[in-house]
Amino acid sequence: MSTSPLVIWHPYTHASLDPAPIKISRAEGVYLYADDGRRFLDAISSWWVNLHGHAHPAIAAAVAEQLRKLEHVIFAGFTHEPAEELACRLGSLLPASLSHIFFSDDGSTAVEVALKMAAQYWRNIGMPGKRRIVALEHANHGDTVGAMAVSAESVFTDAFRDMTFPVLRAHSAYCFRCPVGRRRSECDIDCVGHLAQILERHDSEIAAVIVEPLLQGAGGMIVHPLEFLQRIRDLCTQHDVLLIADEVLTGFGRTGRMFACGLAGVIPDMMCLSKGLTGGFLPLGATVCQARIYEAFLGADRSRTFFHGHSYSGNPLACAAANASLRIFESEPVFSRIEGIALGHERRLHFFRSHPAVADVRAIGTVAALELKATDSGYLSSLRGCLSEFFLNRGILLRPLGNVLYLLPPYVITQGELDFVYDTIEQALGSLPKQ
Ligand SMILES: Cc1ncc(COP(=O)(O)O)c(C=O)c1O
């Protein structure tokens, strides 16, 4: 028997080109502490999951307490208090019509559930022809095969395109690179006309439209006007097509409201949740839906069952973490912190609007992004590696999406810490060769 350890294969990492991973031994608040004594300010909330700071004692205590009572139980045929409490808490935060919840493991599985639920919904109500999905350009909905299918074609999905199902692709309201050549000041959300045409032609075959509401994340932190989402909602209603809002990134305060849909006054038919759901402590996904969808799976016929589940569906530890995170929204001034971050972004972003290295500046709630001028734009831009290294060397974790540098900090970041990140960004951009 070999005694050598297995080689760990890290996500989104090219083992021969990327630097060796940094070993983290503990974390607290906005800081990650490395084995070798270094400290990093986590300015991207560890892949957008952390809300209230690392190792928040209230969430840690809730998970520890749950661990001593019930670590896990099969979720088919059984239930438990943490899941029921979470259903109750989310019920009080979501619009009343989003009344049913299905648990899964992470963001990708929350999306898979929504896609499968949408397809089977139409089949169960006797409209099996409605199976196609419409997704947006620049979308990113995760890395499992169904979630990849609805994600935009990119370097992330190129190797697998023939394994995914075809989708109808509609324009995104990427105002800086307007797909219909308009300027925001003079447009009437003309880009949504493309989706309108698709629905006009194909609505009898379309099960659902899936969107990242107001903020497309991995596609480049693209911020949409509120009206774009509102118009999509109206079109879906008009054409009797389900609207799936993937709030995996935007949920739990990121855009300044509990949910991005709330900011636009839009109620989707289904919503996908994950990432910040547990405050960033444990993996958990959830797909919430309207009653009419749930009811389509009832009746005397067993073949109407939603045959989907995961070994760890509704894990009690993850639900306990989620409940504790939602309690923090009540016991701590979370929304005033969020507002403070948004104001901090506004205060500092001003400078970058006329910076020679910056092509576009975008912000929504706690998220701010600088699209940098680059000769090689896109995820594989050489700016990504050199900027990441620049920031790590100065004690900051920032991971640009190619030439898009963004901040997405835990809500407990102070104005001083935010200023330190922005001061370092100013230095970084000052050090770049002219594009
Ligand atoms: C909007 C959105 N949906 C889904 C996912 C996939 O989530 P996960 O990485 O937890 O599978 C992501 C991940 O970044 C995301 O941003």
Side-chain angles (χ1 to χ4, degrees):
M1 200 171 69
S2 161
T3 54
S4 54
L6 300 183
V7 173
I8 300 176
W9 192 337
H10 289 263
Y12 280 87
T13 303
H14 190 305
S16 49
L17 297 178
D18 289 327
I22 299 165
K23 194 163 182 179
I24 298 297
S25 47
R26 84 185 173 84
E28 193 182 337
V30 292
Y31 293 105
L32 306 169
Y33 295 89
D35 248 18
D36 59 12
R38 286 182 295 166
R39 180 182 89 158
F40 301 97
L41 193 162
D42 183 355
I44 57 160
S45 301
S46 278
W47 256 343
W48 320 345
V49 300
N50 191 282
L51 303 186
H52 313 296
H54 288 276
H56 191 293
I59 305 180
V63 174
E65 193 188 329
Q66 183 57 42
L67 195 50
R68 284 189 287 268
K69 284 196 284 205
L70 172 68
E71 83 300 347
H72 187 62
V73 61
I74 175 174
F75 208 55
F78 293 87
T79 188
H80 49 75
E81 184 55 33
E84 288 180 2
E85 182 184 334
L86 182 53
C88 194
R89 287 186 176 280
L90 289 171
S92 70
L93 299 173
L94 287 161
S97 59
L98 288 173
S99 49
H100 291 70
I101 183 162
F102 190 98
F103 288 111
S104 57
D105 294 352
D106 48 40
S108 301
T109 52
V111 168
E112 297 287 343
V113 166
L115 298 174
K116 288 175 68 175
M117 218 178 239
Q120 194 179 339
Y121 163 75
W122 293 111
R123 184 176 188 260
N124 283 4
I125 64 164
M127 297 174 78
K130 278 170 85 72
R131 291 194 78 71
R132 300 182 76 181
I133 306 289
V134 185
L136 298 184
E137 290 161 358
H138 309 291
N140 179 68
H141 295 286
D143 287 345
T144 53
V145 176
M148 269 198 309
V150 287
S151 298
E153 287 187 29
S154 74
V155 67
F156 301 162
T157 58
D158 279 350
F160 317 106
R161 208 22 86 186
D162 57 337
M163 296 168 62
T164 59
F165 58 83
V167 302
L168 294 157
R169 188 72 60 190
H171 284 332
S172 152
Y174 187 177
C175 299
F176 176 63
R177 297 176 191 278
C178 175
V180 291
R182 305 300 296 266
R183 265 200 239 133
R184 181 67 191 103
S185 53
E186 64 190 27
C187 93
D188 181 29
I189 317 292
D190 303 287
C191 55
V192 86
H194 188 219
L195 174 65
Q197 269 174 18
I198 291 173
L199 292 173
E200 200 66 52
R201 277 192 211 134
H202 302 284
D203 60 0
S204 63
E205 304 159 33
I206 295 174
V209 174
I210 183 166
V211 298
E212 291 161 88
L214 304 187
L215 175 68
Q216 291 186 296
M221 294 296 160
I222 299 165
V223 179
H224 293 161
L226 302 188
E227 297 90 327
F228 181 62
L229 183 60
Q230 293 161 348
R231 299 272 282 274
I232 292 176
R233 171 67 278 180
D234 292 346
L235 285 167
C236 288
T237 307
Q238 217 176 303
H239 289 273
D240 200 16
V241 158
L242 299 174
L243 174 60
I244 303 169
D246 175 355
E247 294 246 15
V248 166
L249 160 61
T250 50
F252 304 101
R254 284 288 172 210
T255 65
R257 279 285 274 274
M258 194 53 112
F259 301 105
C261 285
L263 199 55
V266 156
I267 302 179
D269 300 288
M270 291 187 200
M271 191 186 276
C272 307
L273 302 171
S274 187
K275 290 201 186 272
L277 172 58
T278 63
F281 267 61
L282 285 163
L284 181 66
T287 306
V288 291
C289 69
Q290 302 215 357
R292 70 166 167 142
I293 297 172
Y294 179 81
E295 282 157 12
F297 292 74
L298 304 179
D301 179 356
R302 276 216 169 268
S303 72
R304 294 166 79 95
T305 307
F306 188 46
F307 289 111
H308 187 106
H310 302 279
S311 313
Y312 286 98
S313 288
N315 174 257
L317 302 174
C319 291
N323 288 324
S325 173
L326 294 177
R327 274 196 294 273
I328 291 170
F329 276 91
E330 291 160 14
S331 62
E332 297 185 18
V334 178
F335 276 99
S336 66
R337 288 174 186 152
I338 287 172
E339 208 177 296
I341 296 171
L343 290 171
H345 286 324
E346 204 177 294
R347 181 169 52 79
R348 295 301 303 256
L349 284 176
H350 191 63
F351 167 82
F352 295 99
R353 291 187 202 279
S354 53
H355 194 289
V358 177
D360 190 34
V361 174
R362 306 188 270 270
I364 183 167
T366 64
V367 183
L370 303 173
E371 182 166 332
L372 305 179
K373 291 179 188 162
T375 42
D376 57 348
S377 60
Y379 187 76
L380 295 184
S381 168
S382 54
L383 285 175
R384 185 173 65 98
C386 74
L387 285 173
S388 296
E389 193 188 329
F390 184 96
F391 294 116
L392 285 175
N393 288 340
R394 286 154 185 81
I396 299 171
L397 167 56
L398 278 174
R399 236 184 105 88
L401 292 155
N403 61 316
V404 177
L405 177 58
Y406 69 92
L407 283 86
L408 199 155
Y411 303 155
V412 290
I413 193 168
T414 63
Q415 290 296 319
E417 287 160 342
L418 198 59
D419 279 331
F420 167 61
V421 177
Y422 273 110
D423 290 345
T424 313
I425 292 175
E426 283 188 29
Q427 282 174 33
L429 299 198
S431 74
L432 291 177
K434 289 224 170 354
Q435 295 290 327

